[in-house]
């Protein structure tokens, strides 16, 4: 049985993305954004586990045609999201017009990987039983967003994660944005929130803070990650997934927490400039980091007036 370096489990969705400038229909979801970004980085040992309805298998066939290895779990319906953005692309309203069946322990028994990422979209995607089971097989990474989303009459509402203190004992790496951080912990301070999440059992806490960068807490230390400015901002959909790709990709290669965070942030800068998944290269990501570092050095060395 093959053991992969990295496996992502999540749904490929059918998305409608509405901004002031346009309305775009496209595949989406953590599974889609994660797999496409991993393909751009030429990751050699990656498996995507997803669930789509039979009528949407063309998306899976297309990804396989790009060389992405995919295992498909059957489901009656694909997840369908509608994302509506205002002027601030960090803010959106959502509707879920169709849901897929939750993943089960039995469906995931054959997976072998060093790191497994759960790309949750909705609160019931992954049960506590599944989390415990997968945590015993690999380092388990989670984007908390889905665990904090409740769907009522197609509308998506923020909700606390009832099983969080038990579940987080089994999660090694967790990412949350500012809003999710506050829902999860009740804290408005990223430092306080990160410390609380770590106290619940998470080893690596990643908090993304929009244009204020991101904060990583691991091994008792805080690492402040810069936000690299984007020349244009076109579409924020999938930025959280892109961040997790960059971070997990680099950590699997032995990068430090800070190096992995910077790489993840620079990937997001590229992603923001176009619709759809990350479409840059590893070289382009590293160029952004290097240019930023050079500008910071120039600022430090410039004469004070």
């Amino acid at each position: 049985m093959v053991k992969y370096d990295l496996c992502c489990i999540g749904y490929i969705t059918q998305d409608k993305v509405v901004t002031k400038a346009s309305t775009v229909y496209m595949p989406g979801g953590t599974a889609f954004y994660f797999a496409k970004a991993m393909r751009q980085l030429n990751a050699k040992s990656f498996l995507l586990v997803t669930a789509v309805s039979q009528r949407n298998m063309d998306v899976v066939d297309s990804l396989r045609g790009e060389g992405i290895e995919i295992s498909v779990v059957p489901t009656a319906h694909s997840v369908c999201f509608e994302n509506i953005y205002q002027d601030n692309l960090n803010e959106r309203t959502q509707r879920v017009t169709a849901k897929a069946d939750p993943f089960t322990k039995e469906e995931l028994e054959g997976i072998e990987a060093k790191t497994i990422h759960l790309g949750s979209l909705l609160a019931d995607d992954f049960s506590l039983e599944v989390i415990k089971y997968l945590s015993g097989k690999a380092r388990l990474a989670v984007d908390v967003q889905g665990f904090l989303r409740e769907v009522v009459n197609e509308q998506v509402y923020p909700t606390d994660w009832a099983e969080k203190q038990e579940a987080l004992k089994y999660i090694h790496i967790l990412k949350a944005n500012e809003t999710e951080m506050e829902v999860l912990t009740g804290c408005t301070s990223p430092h306080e929130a990160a410390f609380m999440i770590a106290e619940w059992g998470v080893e690596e806490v990643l908090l993304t803070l929009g244009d204020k960068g991101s904060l990583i807490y691991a091994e008792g230390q805080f690492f402040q990650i810069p936000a690299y400015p984007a020349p244009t901002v076109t579409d924020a959909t999938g930025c959280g997934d892109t961040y997790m790709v960059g971070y997990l990709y680099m950590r699997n290669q032995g990068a430090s927490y800070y190096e992995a965070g910077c790489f993840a942030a620079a990937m997001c800068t590229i992603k923001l400039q176009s619709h759809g998944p990350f479409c840059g290269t590893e070289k382009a990501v590293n160029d952004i980091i290097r240019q930023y570092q050079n500008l910071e050095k120039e600022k430090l060395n410039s004469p004070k007036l």
Side-chain angles (χ1 to χ4, degrees):
M1 184 179 294
V2 177
K3 185 165 187 174
Y4 297 88
D5 286 342
L6 183 57
C7 171
C8 173
I9 307 173
Y11 299 105
I12 296 175
T13 66
Q14 302 301 305
D15 285 356
K16 178 182 179 181
V17 180
V18 181
T19 65
K20 293 288 186 180
S22 64
T23 297
V24 180
Y25 295 88
M26 62 178 70
T30 294
F32 184 74
Y33 282 89
F34 204 100
K36 294 281 279 187
M38 289 294 286
R39 176 69 183 88
Q40 290 299 117
L41 298 176
N42 295 313
K44 304 301 182 186
S45 182
F46 169 69
L47 174 68
L48 173 64
V49 178
T50 191
V52 295
S53 68
Q54 194 59 42
R55 65 180 293 185
N56 299 128
M57 279 296 293
D58 58 324
V59 179
V60 172
D61 293 338
S62 177
L63 292 175
R64 283 175 171 160
E66 296 178 31
I68 299 168
E69 191 166 349
I70 305 176
S71 175
V72 179
V73 174
T75 180
H77 304 283
S78 295
V79 180
C80 296
F81 266 94
E82 181 182 74
N83 297 309
I84 303 175
Y85 290 92
Q86 305 305 317
D87 292 331
N88 181 357
L89 290 182
N90 288 320
E91 298 178 0
R92 66 183 174 187
T93 57
Q94 291 183 313
R95 287 198 312 141
V96 176
T97 56
K99 289 178 64 176
D101 302 322
F103 289 99
T104 67
K105 173 183 171 182
E106 291 71 27
E107 292 168 339
L108 305 175
E109 283 179 348
I111 297 173
E112 295 293 337
K114 295 177 183 176
T115 302
I116 295 175
H117 175 58
L118 301 186
S120 62
L121 296 175
L122 301 171
D124 56 359
D125 289 351
F126 300 99
S127 67
L128 181 57
E129 177 190 28
V130 168
I131 290 171
K132 289 181 178 180
Y133 172 69
L134 293 176
S135 181
K137 294 169 69 73
R139 285 183 62 77
L140 194 59
V142 164
D143 189 328
V144 79
Q145 63 174 345
F147 292 100
L148 305 180
R149 285 178 178 158
E150 182 181 18
V151 178
V152 180
N153 296 325
E154 297 188 350
Q155 300 298 316
V156 180
Y157 297 95
T159 183
D160 198 3
W161 184 4
E163 299 174 312
K164 63 188 177 187
Q165 293 199 40
E166 178 64 20
L168 293 181
K169 297 174 186 176
Y170 300 92
I171 293 169
H172 303 89
I173 304 166
L174 180 137
K175 186 195 80 66
N177 66 22
E178 278 183 288
T179 301
E180 295 156 357
M181 166 197 86
E182 189 170 351
V183 172
L184 190 66
T185 67
C187 298
T188 57
S189 162
H191 287 78
E192 291 178 8
F195 185 77
M196 181 179 293
I197 294 168
E199 286 286 289
W200 287 335
V202 178
E203 294 178 6
E204 299 173 43
V205 181
L206 321 176
L207 301 178
T208 55
L209 310 172
D211 58 8
K212 297 188 288 294
S214 53
L215 183 70
I216 296 173
Y217 182 65
E219 297 187 46
Q221 288 185 277
F222 288 101
F223 303 89
Q224 188 68 51
I225 310 300
Y228 303 104
T232 59
V233 177
T234 301
D235 182 9
T237 305
C239 266
D241 301 323
T242 303
Y243 190 98
M244 284 302 287
V245 169
Y247 185 82
L248 296 176
Y249 174 76
M250 291 299 287
R251 288 291 290 149
N252 271 346
Q253 295 190 60
S256 69
Y257 305 117
Y258 183 77
E259 290 168 337
C262 289
F263 189 89
M267 279 187 70
C268 290
T269 296
I270 295 173
K271 160 65 202 88
L272 278 169
Q273 297 176 61
S274 62
H275 287 294
F278 171 81
C279 58
T281 63
E282 191 164 344
K283 179 182 181 301
V285 174
N286 287 322
D287 284 347
I288 287 173
I289 297 170
R290 184 170 56 253
Q291 290 165 9
Y292 179 88
Q293 290 172 339
N294 289 338
L295 285 173
E296 291 301 298
K297 287 179 182 177
E298 289 178 9
K299 289 179 184 177
L300 287 173
N301 295 328
S302 61
K304 303 295 187 294
L305 298 178

